Amino acid sequence: MKLCQLPLLLLLISNIHSGHTEEIPKPKVTIKPDHPVFRGETVTLRCDIYDGVPSWRYNWYKGHSSMVFSELQEHTFRSVNESDAGKYSCNGTETEGSRRSQRSDEVTLTVSVPRAVLSVSPQKWLTEGDPVTLICEVNGSATGWTFSWFTKTVSGSRNDYELLSDSSRGAGGKYTVSSAALKHTGVYVCRAERDKPPTYTTYSNTQPLWVTGVSPPVSLIISPSRTQHFSSVSLSLSCEDQSNSDGWTVRRYTDSGRLEDCSSSVWGSQTGSKCTIRTTDPLDTGVYWCQSESGENYHHVNITIHIGVILESPVHPVTEGDNLTLHCVYPYASPPKLRADFYKDGSLIQKQTTEMIIPTVSKSHEGFYYCKHPESGESPKSWISVRVCVCVSFSGSKISVLHILSSVLAACPYLLVTVVLIYKCCRMRGKTYD
């Protein structure tokens, strides 16, 4: 028998011997609010004894402890935290008598840390002009929250959060961009608050958005030229523009959520606009891109480092109408190009071939591809995007407008020189006739 129950038993025996058989009252405990609460919120416990006695002195207990931590009928936690969570009960003693009540049933106080969860719709890989919505939610609580939006930034070797200048337009939990631009590329997080004094959630999980331009001013050149690479090899990434400028930095966002520069890291070294990863590791898996000195981001490429089988696929988007060739490669096989099955978006599209070729690519061929070998295993998935071709038709054949424009621009200097020479020649002839 517990010692805390002995006075109650003696009181019961005394009442029986003296002829008193009235029932010993049992308090009822209520808790407000009566649902799980978040750290920092206010919670009130109340002990009620319904016996007609005008005045009681109350005792509060936590768990199985016999230690009284409060003697008020209502005990309030002004800013509750995780250590306050637990089971609570109370009893009472008459202030003008000798009776003591029973101990109440226990009520449970649950305290959790409010956590923001960030998602994106419809997808994180975008082309200029696409719509996208970031959605911020608080687990376990749907109402009363106001949301703030941030982008993740690099400060030396540390990651910081920068409040978006138009953060308030996403205060309802949805931050919508009707027409994505290159400037919307970034790594986003959100946070929520409610009540006064405010209760804050943790910063959410990170959510990147990658916006691809139609004609980026710089290309990320990867050597070897593929998006999936073996572990424990060297990998080279360089930013190349038309002026051969060195004002570019290779930056990456890894699957572990780190935003890093090649020039200020231990994973690689940068010379000019070229970054070299000396020995690849699965932790190097992530999105890589080129960043200008003024902060613009261009040409994002998802690179996967894998120990086993890889899919050999093109780094850059495939132009509509071109051929797409895929290989399944394993470094420990001879030959390394395997005879394997190829899949798109989880569906088998070609069985047991060393080379899968789609002769005329269309937008419908866009998707996630991977390969599988019965003995060597399965490759990671790679997204293959298809660039829509803006073409003109001549006698049944299609010629890209971009190709025509580039040819014209390449020929412009020669045309200009020719025009100047003809003009000078005509002037000289005119003088001769005079």
Side-chain angles (χ1 to χ4, degrees), residues 24-292:
I24 300 174
K26 184 176 182 178
K28 181 180 179 181
V29 175
T30 54
I31 181 171
K32 292 183 180 181
D34 60 351
H35 55 73
V37 296
F38 293 118
R39 180 179 59 192
E41 295 184 323
T42 298
V43 177
T44 299
L45 301 172
R46 180 179 175 87
C47 185
D48 286 299
I49 301 176
Y50 302 101
D51 189 55
V53 175
S55 182
W56 292 87
R57 184 173 65 252
Y58 300 89
N59 300 310
W60 283 100
Y61 309 91
K62 183 178 181 182
H64 298 296
S65 172
S66 60
M67 182 179 297
V68 176
F69 68 86
S70 176
E71 294 183 346
L72 300 174
Q73 184 178 15
E74 286 190 346
H75 179 77
T76 299
F77 299 94
R78 296 295 177 191
S79 181
V80 74
N81 58 53
E82 295 89 329
S83 65
D84 295 320
K87 297 181 181 294
Y88 291 87
S89 60
C90 69
N91 65 12
T93 304
E94 290 179 344
T95 55
E96 297 181 0
S98 59
R99 282 199 312 161
R100 172 178 284 188
S101 75
Q102 299 182 54
R103 192 158 171 171
S104 71
D105 293 332
E106 293 180 323
V107 294
T108 301
L109 172 60
T110 302
V111 181
S112 59
V113 178
R115 300 186 185 281
V117 179
L118 182 58
S119 58
V120 63
S121 177
Q123 62 179 3
K124 63 184 179 182
W125 288 94
L126 307 166
T127 302
E128 279 184 299
D130 289 346
V132 64
T133 298
L134 293 165
I135 304 162
C136 193
E137 300 173 297
V138 180
N139 276 354
S141 179
T143 59
W145 295 97
T146 300
F147 298 85
S148 299
W149 300 85
F150 306 80
T151 53
K152 202 170 187 178
T153 60
V154 175
S155 178
S157 60
R158 186 184 66 188
N159 284 186
D160 293 328
Y161 299 122
E162 181 178 330
L163 182 68
L164 293 180
S165 59
D166 60 348
S167 174
S168 59
R169 74 184 179 93
K174 290 186 177 181
Y175 185 92
T176 299
V177 176
S178 58
S179 180
L182 291 176
K183 67 179 181 180
H184 293 117
T185 291
V187 180
Y188 292 80
V189 295
C190 64
R191 190 176 68 170
E193 64 177 271
R194 73 176 182 186
D195 300 332
K196 291 183 179 180
T199 297
Y200 292 98
T201 67
T202 58
Y203 285 102
S204 71
N205 55 298
T206 55
Q207 179 60 63
L209 289 183
W210 312 117
V211 184
T212 301
V214 177
S215 182
V218 64
S219 293
L220 180 62
I221 306 301
I222 301 171
S223 181
S225 183
R226 55 180 181 242
T227 58
Q228 295 185 16
H229 298 267
F230 301 119
S231 180
S232 302
V233 298
S234 176
L235 179 62
S236 170
L237 308 101
S238 59
C239 298
E240 297 184 7
D241 61 12
Q242 295 180 353
S243 61
N244 296 319
S245 169
D246 286 338
W248 298 96
T249 298
V250 176
R251 179 171 282 189
R252 74 177 186 180
Y253 177 73
T254 65
D255 283 1
S256 61
R258 293 290 300 172
L259 188 62
E260 299 172 321
D261 287 335
C262 180
S263 57
S264 58
S265 68
V266 296
W267 55 270
S269 59
Q270 180 154 335
T271 303
S273 293
K274 180 179 180 181
C275 175
T276 302
I277 301 177
R278 294 175 292 276
T279 305
T280 54
D281 184 275
L283 294 175
D284 293 317
T285 295
V287 176
Y288 292 70
W289 66 92
C290 298
Q291 178 158 310
S292 69

